[in-house]
Amino acid sequence: MDNVFLGPLKKFVTKIAGFLPNLFIGAILILIGLLIATLLRKMICRLSRLLNMDRISEKVGLTQILQKSGIREPVSWLVGNAVYWIVLISFVIMGLDALKIPAVENLLQEFWFYVPNVIAAAIILGAGYLLGNFLGRAALIAAVNAGIAISGLIGKFVKFTVFIMATTMALELLGIGEDTVLIAFAVVFGGVVLALAIAFGLGGRDAAKGYIDKMLLEKKEEDDDITHI
Amino acid sequence: MQAGFAKYFPDHNAILINSDGGSTDGTLEIVEKTAIDDFQPLLIDQRQNLLSKIVTPYHGIPGKGSAFRTIFQVAKELKVKACAVVDSDLRSITPEWIDLLIRPVLNRGFDFVNPYYLRHKYDGTITNSIVYPVTRALYGKHIRQPIGGDFGFSGKLAEFYLTKDVWGSDVARFGIDIWMTTTAVANDFKVCQSFLGAKIHAAKDPSADLSAMLTQVVSSLFMLMEEYHHIWKEVKTTTPVPLFGFEFSVGLEPILVNVERMTNMFSLGISELSDLLSDILSTECMRQLVEAGLSDPFVFGDELWAHVIYDYALACHRKVMSVDHILKTLTPLYLGKVASLVQDMAESNAHEVEERLEALCLAFEKTKPYLIKGWD
């Protein structure tokens, strides 16, 4: 009986007993990390306010660059949160490392090799986000000035197309899906265009005819002789 | 132009410059070869001393500003006393224009002569609704056509223009006219106006993009506000400037206007660009714009318009987003204001139109403290 039940149980208990301190240390590390990250975020936000960081960044044009791309949060908030996440992730990694589980250790080792790709992917995502917002806004304004009724849709289409392209590139860099993501993107994108073409050409043939006729008629009617300058 | 020089300045040496932007329609040959052989029908007995011609391509960004820069450079090199520049597509230019643009400089000591035209009430809407009221409110001078395009100026002022490093900006394009006027006024050069009669030019270029044109003019206006903020903030009153020439009235060709299209564009802009406009305009301004869009008949008040333009100036000053994007969102609002003015002036004669524009200018002057407060 001893060999059948108690032996493995003892081994399991011994292993658990050996693992518990590591788990405890890991949990403590993550908790400490959470505490330090939260404290640092608060301190940085307060210090930034004391040092007038938001005003300075407005003066040097950093706020405007962020606003141009649709990020409206103050720079102090962004810095505080960036520090929060960097500290927290570092402590989570240390906590996982403290578990001394070979599989996790291997994963972490792989993770460190993976970090440059993660950073590059983050940069691509960030740039894609900024560029998507900028181009989306430019397309929206141009469409409104051209008198196109579905301007909002055009702006969003451009914005999300750029963002999806950036996401595809980032995922490919991370090795996720690779060809699958690219093919999925091509299929979805092509599908949307085809669906629109079919909808406009077949489903809404009469509507399309009416719309084009109206456009041509309006074009004739809307010509005026005003010289603006 | 040759007749103008011969008739009014026979004792002076004159030079005619064609600053060309790469014409392929034979302009260069026409300018080189065109000459008046018989001055008798023009009642000109005394022949002019000398009229030389320079036909030259200009360098830099394609546009009127770059062309003018070449003319300023020639004026400087030749140490000219007075210069006149006229648009190349004019159909109503007469020899008298040369006299009216140059004589105030030569005989009265003025440095800058602005044109004063008779225009149809719906013509020059950027001038009437933005440039004239803003320039007048900011710099205190009643210059009716700040972007008229045909100017007279002294050699001293041409040399001063060349000291400014603006030739890579919108000034090199459509912005040159407002830049020349504002630079002259803000730097205390002696400014006057000359009545030139009707301004009739070639049919407009159908490819000319209103949004780009508006952006270039308004960005130049706002860029000048940055440069001369210490001057315009101190200007508290406005005064007329001397006007030369004999004022007469002429019949003007009717102009087709599609008000419905303009109000539709305004409504589209308000609904589709509301997120962006909320970043540019004050909350109160935005609320009033939405109300204006719902009004029937459509009314876009003068004070609201003044607030809109000042909010745009402030948004560019603070760079709340890309300046190009800020200014391009102005197009639908501008069309809304033009539609409102067209409706107001539908039955008005020339005198009543000027009274209407006077009211608009007063709204800009009254609202100026709002701009000054926001600027600081």
Side-chain angles (χ1 to χ4, degrees), chain A residues 15 21 48 54 66 87 114-115 156 193-194 200:
Chain A
K15 269 193 179 173
S48 306
D54 292 332
L66 293 169
V87 172
Y114 207 51
V115 165
K156 282 187 183 117
V193 173
L194 189 67
F200 199 66

Side-chain angles (χ1 to χ4, degrees), chain B residues 11 90 102 108 110 121 142 159 166 188 209 241 298 326 328 365:
Chain B
D11 302 327
L90 285 170
I102 286 180
R108 298 290 173 95
F110 283 96
K121 58 188 174 184
H142 295 197
E159 222 171 298
V166 291
D188 273 340
D209 175 17
V241 295
F298 179 72
I326 295 175
K328 286 209 164 123
E365 289 172 26

Side-chain angles (χ1 to χ4, degrees), chain B residues 286-327:
Chain B
M286 193 62 206
R287 189 188 64 75
Q288 287 188 36
L289 278 177
V290 173
E291 270 180 17
L294 299 172
S295 62
D296 188 20
F298 179 72
V299 177
F300 194 149
D302 289 348
E303 281 198 27
L304 173 59
W305 177 237
H307 272 113
V308 166
I309 292 298
Y310 288 156
D311 274 343
Y312 267 82
L314 294 172
C316 288
H317 176 56
R318 294 179 196 138
K319 297 188 175 64
V320 296
M321 63 179 90
S322 149
V323 171
D324 192 55
H325 285 180
I326 295 175
L327 294 176

Side-chain angles (χ1 to χ4, degrees), chain A residues 126-163:
Chain A
Y129 180 74
L130 298 180
L131 192 68
N133 275 343
F134 185 84
L135 293 180
R137 196 163 56 199
L140 168 68
I141 296 169
V144 167
N145 287 342
I148 298 169
I150 50 161
S151 308
L153 202 65
I154 292 172
K156 282 187 183 117
F157 179 75
V158 170
K159 179 178 165 174
F160 288 113
T161 303
V162 173
F163 193 62

Side-chain angles (χ1 to χ4, degrees), chain B residues 203-220:
Chain B
K204 68 176 177 180
D205 176 5
S207 66
D209 175 17
L210 166 65
S211 188
M213 207 154 63
L214 185 67
T215 301
Q216 285 175 30
V217 172
V218 178
S219 77
S220 300

